[in-house]
Amino acid sequence: MFQIEEGLATAPMERVRTHGRYLFAGDEKFFIKGVTYGPFPENENGDPLPERDRVARDFEMMRAAGVNTIRVYYVPPRWFLDLAQSLGVRVMVGIPWPQHLCFLDQWEVKEEIKKVIREAVSPLAGHPAILAWLIGNEIPAHIVRWHGARKIEKFLAKLAAIVREQDPTGLVTYANYPSTEYLRLPFLDFLSVNVYLHEEKAFRAYVKRLQNVAGDLPLVLSEFGMDSIRQGADHVAETLSWQLRAAFELGVSGTMVFAWTDEWYTGGHLIEDWAFGMVDAHRNPKPAYEAVAEVYRQRLPLLPPQTPLISVVICAYNAESTMNGCLASFQKLAYPNFEVIVVDDGSTDTTGEISDRYAAKYPYIHVIHQPNLGLSAARNVGMNASRGEIVAYTDSDCYVDPDWLTYMAWAFMDPRFVAVGGPNLPPPEDNRTSACVAVSPGAPTHVLLTDEVAEHIPGCNMAYRREKLMEISGFDATYRAAGDDVDVCWRLQNEGYLIGFCAAMMVWHHRRNTVSAYIKQQKGYGRAEALLLPKHKDRFNVLGNSRWAGRIYGDIGGCLLANRPIIYHGVFGMGLFQTLYEPKGSLVAYLPLSMEWMVLALAFMVATPFMPLLGLAGLAMAITSLAFVGHRAGKAKLPARHDNLGSRLIITGLTLLQPLCRGWTRYKTVWQLRKSASQGVCPVPLAEDMPHDEREMPRVGFVRKASEIVGVFSHRLTFHRFFWNNKGVEREQLLSHILAVLTGLHLPFTTDTGFSSISAVPPWDLSAKTNLFTTLKLRVTAENHGGHKRFVRLAGSILPTGRAVLLLAVLAGAAIGLLPLSAYAAMAAATTATLFAGWMLWGLFRAASLVTMLVQYLMVRGPGGSLEEPVEERLIVRAAAPSRRVVAKDVADVEEIAARQELGGLIPAPGSGDKTENVLAA
């Protein structure tokens, strides 16, 4: 019989909480070692579960394999949770609802879903065995596309709020999948993603991607597995083994192997032609059982095969308020081979005494006292005193995650990287000012070129191969307080080296806790920019700000003109991996938040008595800056206890102060250095100008933004048609039929490119022109209601093109303008405008007729048909169609030809008696 570890079955169970990028049970980090469970045929009580004795034996076998969590796809009864608690098993509860339907189109359906969530959570709220509530699982990509990502996000946020209202201490998550990766769900407690990738390189790359998608949230792989019937039991075991090891090596907070057993019941019957289980239907262990147990029984994260000595350097100056917490955090490190070198850089408070006290108690801590020489000099002293092949740096106002060095060692297993950095998060226990500073501009953070390659890693969380750092002579002592980390990163890249990024390598970094400290910090950054500028002049823009080639992590933009993220959907939204791409920042978009803009606005307003137009321009500029500041303050994500009007006002003030303080100090320092240079005492050469290649400067997509405005307008002029199809037609087949019709009618059309920006308007599938100046945009989806029954939806817009509207406006304006000059000329212009308007209306009517024909045509279509099967020439929709009766005749002709061609063999000939249910909207 399988044995479970002593004490686990009777140990009290604390509810799991989130802390930064990880889960915790009490003070200990908690890694989900999970499997999915069920659904099963109903037991004698009507639950989709085995009988109680079988469940108990399953739990015992799971615990023997190290499993501590299961995921169920239904709301279990209380006895099930009680049994799980008694055996030390936690449960992720999935709440089922009809997410495969277009659920946002009907108010009644939305309210019913909310009711289902509320009634599922309420009776089980607070149960210790419940690890988290899953408010959804893999909403199909075509449903998300139909409604638009933003509406789905808002609805899921409402469901999460309902769960928290009923169960305040319960965690909330949603199981996403690659086809809707772009959904932004910051309201979750942790991000869950189902990933089925069976090639190791692709799997590792995608987990790294997901770590960045998760942002500051823990990441859980909520489903992955393989079918042993087709893949072979031994191959499945081998794959699960490396998948689990790779996942935990890369810093995930948990994994869910799909599934516990081959017994799987869905759609009203047992599934017998696949076998994903770790055990078979009779609970006999398969090779996958031992492969999973080998990982799950160990302490996580696993240590790398080599654990090189890592020297951690902490440079401290007057840090008595945080030094104790910083050094204490190293006592909890799980890494076996490290040393800590504290460089006390001439502190005048008790920093040195605190460090000496720890050094006397812990032999891995060494302290070096020196006069105040500045941050870079102190870092070089630490580097020279280090013995490790890796030199890591953190700040005295940081404390480290227990597995910081473990993940660092794993990251350096990649020989491509000479340096590696990780995220730094503000501790949740900081005060309100610190929380506001954390989301204000100018915070130290990393800049990413890809999901695993960084352009910059901040000084509070960076590590280097010692030999490579010494190869470039370490840090430049010119930078006494800031900028040295930027300089080192750029110098390494200039030498052709790569800098890596590890999302799991996390430290907690206290932000400035007073406004004056924040202003002092930003002044230091301004001075650092002035010192960096002559040395790296090609990396700065005309305003003296850093021109990052990568994406600044956590940058909320704060600018209304910033380019929006781009989603790759794949053509017709069929991409398996639908990825969100963040654009580079735009110089023009950030101008209203620059010191130069604000000073110029003030100067223009001062000039109002002399030149009123300048005053108006200055007022407009000032209003623009305030709008940008308000936009940023409104988007900032704050801890719930600090999220109030006072905090937003503090962020507003800091956002206004930051560019003024930083910019003024930068100009002041440049002026001082130029003055010193003229006297022959300048420590570094200064460039007279800052050349840059305008072609490389990021641009603001004004044209794209204009098109988005038109898109929002067109959203108000839309159609929505829906109907039943009883032939089992799928979305791909619908699109194929529509393309065949458009080809047969010789109407020019374009399909979507596969890319779109995030906006309130869902992306369209195809666009057709019924004449030169009229465009029909269409999107399609099909709900599966079981068997061959499909509920088909078509939606879109029929609008004149922008060129047509502009031409009509010109003609109308000409008619009005010519009226005082020549009545005949005005009449000619007006007549032309009227005829042109009639032409436009004709195109609109033609497009509406086409939509009606498509609806009736698709109602009776079945599988089959393609672009190579055009509709006959005689079926072209006639522009002179006087009534719906003529259109209906055309539709009847289409049906007759479809039956005659027997496309797919499922279309009955007209008059065969087939009755298709029709709920076509008026």
Side-chain angles (χ1 to χ4, degrees), residues 391-555:
V391 183
Y393 291 89
T394 190
D395 290 345
S396 56
D397 57 354
C398 296
Y399 61 94
V400 301
D401 179 78
D403 299 305
W404 180 51
L405 296 184
T406 300
Y407 291 124
M408 184 185 298
W410 276 114
F412 275 107
M413 293 287 289
D414 190 329
R416 296 177 298 162
F417 300 136
V418 301
V420 174
N424 66 99
L425 304 182
E429 63 270 16
D430 278 357
N431 62 23
R432 183 172 74 169
T433 302
S434 297
C436 294
V437 166
V439 294
S440 296
T445 189
H446 48 276
V447 181
L448 298 183
L449 294 168
T450 70
D451 293 318
E452 59 179 345
V453 178
E455 181 181 8
H456 168 250
I457 49 179
C460 58
N461 189 6
M462 61 184 183
Y464 302 88
R465 297 191 192 273
R466 186 175 185 272
E467 60 174 326
K468 299 299 181 182
L469 187 58
M470 298 191 75
E471 182 182 303
I472 62 168
S473 302
F475 296 87
D476 189 336
T478 303
Y479 309 99
R480 289 183 56 87
D484 57 331
D485 50 353
V486 178
D487 174 66
V488 163
C489 289
W490 284 345
R491 282 193 285 138
L492 285 172
Q493 290 168 58
N494 290 342
E495 295 295 325
Y497 293 127
L498 279 182
I499 298 172
F501 175 74
C502 176
M505 198 178 101
M506 190 195 80
V507 301
W508 297 97
H509 185 199
H510 294 283
R511 302 307 197 248
R512 301 299 189 266
N513 57 12
T514 64
V515 173
S516 60
Y518 173 72
I519 292 174
K520 183 179 179 181
Q521 179 193 45
Q522 296 308 310
K523 287 181 177 179
Y525 289 160
R527 176 174 174 79
E529 286 175 338
L531 295 172
L532 284 164
L533 194 151
K535 194 174 181 181
H536 304 280
K537 57 186 179 181
D538 60 322
R539 295 182 182 268
F540 287 83
N541 61 30
V542 293
L543 299 181
N545 296 317
S546 304
R547 283 179 55 191
W548 298 110
R551 179 175 64 88
I552 302 175
Y553 173 81
D555 182 18

Side-chain angles (χ1 to χ4, degrees), residues 523-723:
K523 287 181 177 179
Y525 289 160
R527 176 174 174 79
E529 286 175 338
L531 295 172
L532 284 164
L533 194 151
K535 194 174 181 181
H536 304 280
K537 57 186 179 181
D538 60 322
R539 295 182 182 268
F540 287 83
N541 61 30
V542 293
L543 299 181
N545 296 317
S546 304
R547 283 179 55 191
W548 298 110
R551 179 175 64 88
I552 302 175
Y553 173 81
D555 182 18
I556 60 176
C559 39
L560 301 172
L561 296 178
N563 291 332
R564 294 180 177 179
I566 299 296
I567 305 171
Y568 173 71
H569 291 285
V571 178
F572 298 141
M574 296 179 186
L576 296 179
F577 291 82
Q578 300 192 18
T579 304
L580 186 68
Y581 294 92
E582 296 282 355
K584 291 170 59 177
S586 167
L587 172 64
V588 177
Y590 280 85
L591 271 176
L593 291 179
S594 67
M595 185 198 76
E596 293 81 1
W597 178 283
M598 295 180 186
V599 170
L600 190 60
L602 180 61
F604 282 176
M605 287 190 288
V606 170
T608 301
F610 311 101
M611 298 185 68
L613 287 178
L614 280 182
L616 289 175
L619 180 62
M621 292 173 68
I623 291 173
T624 304
S625 293
L626 291 175
F628 276 47
V629 170
H631 179 65
R632 175 155 200 147
K635 287 179 65 179
K637 183 182 177 182
L638 287 166
R641 63 193 179 96
H642 295 315
D643 193 357
N644 51 49
L645 178 60
S647 297
R648 301 288 170 182
L649 291 176
I650 292 174
I651 297 169
T652 300
L654 295 178
T655 305
L656 281 170
L657 282 173
Q658 189 264 351
L660 296 174
C661 296
R662 191 164 177 166
W664 171 253
T665 306
R666 182 174 63 249
Y667 279 112
K668 179 181 176 182
T669 305
V670 169
W671 180 79
Q672 289 173 342
L673 292 175
R674 290 182 187 276
K675 183 178 178 181
S676 299
S678 66
Q679 299 172 0
V681 294
C682 182
V684 291
L686 289 176
E688 289 298 321
D689 55 10
M690 292 167 285
H692 61 279
D693 187 349
E694 287 291 345
R695 293 171 299 177
E696 295 180 2
M697 296 297 289
R699 305 286 183 178
V700 180
F702 288 109
V703 174
R704 194 178 78 195
K705 295 192 180 302
S707 68
E708 289 173 356
I709 293 172
V710 173
V712 173
F713 174 69
S714 68
H715 187 56
R716 307 300 179 188
L717 301 174
T718 60
F719 61 85
H720 184 182
R721 301 290 184 266
F722 45 92
F723 53 89

